[in-house]
PDB file of all heavy atoms in Angstrom:
ATOM      1  N   HIS A 505      30.742  51.814  -9.680  1.00 93.00           N
ATOM      2  CA  HIS A 505      31.760  51.671  -8.600  1.00 93.00           C
ATOM      3  C   HIS A 505      31.717  50.291  -7.975  1.00 93.00           C
ATOM      4  O   HIS A 505      32.754  49.824  -7.470  1.00 93.00           O
ATOM      5  CB  HIS A 505      31.555  52.744  -7.556  1.00 93.00           C
ATOM      6  CG  HIS A 505      31.821  54.124  -8.045  1.00 93.00           C
ATOM      7  ND1 HIS A 505      31.223  55.265  -7.494  1.00 93.00           N
ATOM      8  CD2 HIS A 505      32.540  54.586  -9.126  1.00 93.00           C
ATOM      9  CE1 HIS A 505      31.625  56.329  -8.177  1.00 93.00           C
ATOM     10  NE2 HIS A 505      32.409  55.936  -9.148  1.00 93.00           N
ATOM     11  N   THR A 506      30.545  49.635  -7.952  1.00 92.00           N
ATOM     12  CA  THR A 506      30.404  48.397  -7.168  1.00 92.00           C
ATOM     13  C   THR A 506      29.981  47.228  -8.048  1.00 92.00           C
ATOM     14  O   THR A 506      30.705  46.216  -8.135  1.00 92.00           O
ATOM     15  CB  THR A 506      29.410  48.584  -6.040  1.00 92.00           C
ATOM     16  OG1 THR A 506      29.837  49.703  -5.197  1.00 92.00           O
ATOM     17  CG2 THR A 506      29.317  47.329  -5.204  1.00 92.00           C
ATOM     18  N   TRP A 507      28.844  47.375  -8.689  1.00 93.00           N
ATOM     19  CA  TRP A 507      28.232  46.193  -9.329  1.00 93.00           C
ATOM     20  C   TRP A 507      28.909  45.800 -10.614  1.00 93.00           C
ATOM     21  O   TRP A 507      29.000  44.637 -10.950  1.00 93.00           O
ATOM     22  CB  TRP A 507      26.747  46.482  -9.588  1.00 93.00           C
ATOM     23  CG  TRP A 507      25.934  46.839  -8.389  1.00 93.00           C
ATOM     24  CD1 TRP A 507      25.235  47.972  -8.192  1.00 93.00           C
ATOM     25  CD2 TRP A 507      25.778  46.033  -7.169  1.00 93.00           C
ATOM     26  NE1 TRP A 507      24.620  47.931  -6.937  1.00 93.00           N
ATOM     27  CE2 TRP A 507      24.916  46.789  -6.311  1.00 93.00           C
ATOM     28  CE3 TRP A 507      26.262  44.793  -6.796  1.00 93.00           C
ATOM     29  CZ2 TRP A 507      24.581  46.302  -5.044  1.00 93.00           C
ATOM     30  CZ3 TRP A 507      25.907  44.360  -5.520  1.00 93.00           C
ATOM     31  CH2 TRP A 507      25.080  45.072  -4.685  1.00 93.00           C
ATOM     32  N   ASN A 508      29.390  46.797 -11.388  1.00 92.00           N
ATOM     33  CA  ASN A 508      29.886  46.493 -12.712  1.00 92.00           C
ATOM     34  C   ASN A 508      31.104  45.525 -12.642  1.00 92.00           C
ATOM     35  O   ASN A 508      31.199  44.627 -13.456  1.00 92.00           O
ATOM     36  CB  ASN A 508      30.263  47.773 -13.453  1.00 92.00           C
ATOM     37  CG  ASN A 508      30.479  47.548 -14.925  1.00 92.00           C
ATOM     38  OD1 ASN A 508      29.569  47.180 -15.625  1.00 92.00           O
ATOM     39  ND2 ASN A 508      31.697  47.697 -15.374  1.00 92.00           N
ATOM     40  N   LYS A 509      31.990  45.766 -11.733  1.00 94.00           N
ATOM     41  CA  LYS A 509      33.188  44.899 -11.678  1.00 94.00           C
ATOM     42  C   LYS A 509      32.824  43.495 -11.267  1.00 94.00           C
ATOM     43  O   LYS A 509      33.484  42.533 -11.688  1.00 94.00           O
ATOM     44  CB  LYS A 509      34.228  45.485 -10.735  1.00 94.00           C
ATOM     45  CG  LYS A 509      33.747  45.673  -9.281  1.00 94.00           C
ATOM     46  CD  LYS A 509      34.823  46.339  -8.462  1.00 94.00           C
ATOM     47  CE  LYS A 509      34.381  46.575  -7.053  1.00 94.00           C
ATOM     48  NZ  LYS A 509      35.407  47.254  -6.239  1.00 94.00           N
ATOM     49  N   ILE A 510      31.691  43.334 -10.516  1.00 93.00           N
ATOM     50  CA  ILE A 510      31.279  41.964 -10.164  1.00 93.00           C
ATOM     51  C   ILE A 510      30.789  41.247 -11.418  1.00 93.00           C
ATOM     52  O   ILE A 510      31.163  40.107 -11.659  1.00 93.00           O
ATOM     53  CB  ILE A 510      30.182  42.045  -9.083  1.00 93.00           C
ATOM     54  CG1 ILE A 510      30.762  42.608  -7.796  1.00 93.00           C
ATOM     55  CG2 ILE A 510      29.562  40.660  -8.823  1.00 93.00           C
ATOM     56  CD1 ILE A 510      29.764  42.796  -6.674  1.00 93.00           C
ATOM     57  N   PHE A 511      29.884  41.877 -12.160  1.00 93.00           N
ATOM     58  CA  PHE A 511      29.356  41.253 -13.369  1.00 93.00           C
ATOM     59  C   PHE A 511      30.452  41.094 -14.433  1.00 93.00           C
ATOM     60  O   PHE A 511      30.475  40.120 -15.191  1.00 93.00           O
ATOM     61  CB  PHE A 511      28.203  42.043 -13.925  1.00 93.00           C
ATOM     62  CG  PHE A 511      26.915  41.875 -13.158  1.00 93.00           C
ATOM     63  CD1 PHE A 511      26.552  42.770 -12.149  1.00 93.00           C
ATOM     64  CD2 PHE A 511      26.068  40.794 -13.360  1.00 93.00           C
ATOM     65  CE1 PHE A 511      25.400  42.643 -11.444  1.00 93.00           C
ATOM     66  CE2 PHE A 511      24.929  40.644 -12.614  1.00 93.00           C
ATOM     67  CZ  PHE A 511      24.561  41.576 -11.634  1.00 93.00           C
ATOM     68  N   GLN A 512      31.356  42.092 -14.496  1.00 93.00           N
ATOM     69  CA  GLN A 512      32.410  42.034 -15.544  1.00 93.00           C
ATOM     70  C   GLN A 512      33.395  40.911 -15.228  1.00 93.00           C
ATOM     71  O   GLN A 512      33.775  40.170 -16.130  1.00 93.00           O
ATOM     72  CB  GLN A 512      33.129  43.392 -15.549  1.00 93.00           C
ATOM     73  CG  GLN A 512      34.095  43.543 -16.689  1.00 93.00           C
ATOM     74  CD  GLN A 512      33.454  43.734 -18.033  1.00 93.00           C
ATOM     75  OE1 GLN A 512      32.433  44.395 -18.102  1.00 93.00           O
ATOM     76  NE2 GLN A 512      33.985  43.103 -19.101  1.00 93.00           N
ATOM     77  N   ASN A 513      33.812  40.794 -13.967  1.00 93.00           N
ATOM     78  CA  ASN A 513      34.801  39.768 -13.629  1.00 93.00           C
ATOM     79  C   ASN A 513      34.201  38.360 -13.698  1.00 93.00           C
ATOM     80  O   ASN A 513      34.883  37.406 -13.970  1.00 93.00           O
ATOM     81  CB  ASN A 513      35.336  40.053 -12.215  1.00 93.00           C
ATOM     82  CG  ASN A 513      36.132  41.317 -12.162  1.00 93.00           C
ATOM     83  OD1 ASN A 513      36.609  41.820 -13.182  1.00 93.00           O
ATOM     84  ND2 ASN A 513      36.252  41.877 -10.953  1.00 93.00           N
ATOM     85  N   THR A 514      32.898  38.254 -13.359  1.00 92.00           N
ATOM     86  CA  THR A 514      32.294  36.934 -13.320  1.00 92.00           C
ATOM     87  C   THR A 514      31.745  36.466 -14.625  1.00 92.00           C
ATOM     88  O   THR A 514      31.958  35.304 -15.036  1.00 92.00           O
ATOM     89  CB  THR A 514      31.179  36.915 -12.239  1.00 92.00           C
ATOM     90  OG1 THR A 514      31.654  37.442 -11.037  1.00 92.00           O
ATOM     91  CG2 THR A 514      30.676  35.513 -11.982  1.00 92.00           C
TER      92      THR A 514
END
Side-chain angles (χ1 to χ4, degrees):
H505 295 154
T506 303
W507 304 122
N508 193 64
K509 58 184 178 183
I510 294 177
F511 285 97
Q512 188 73 37
N513 295 339
T514 308

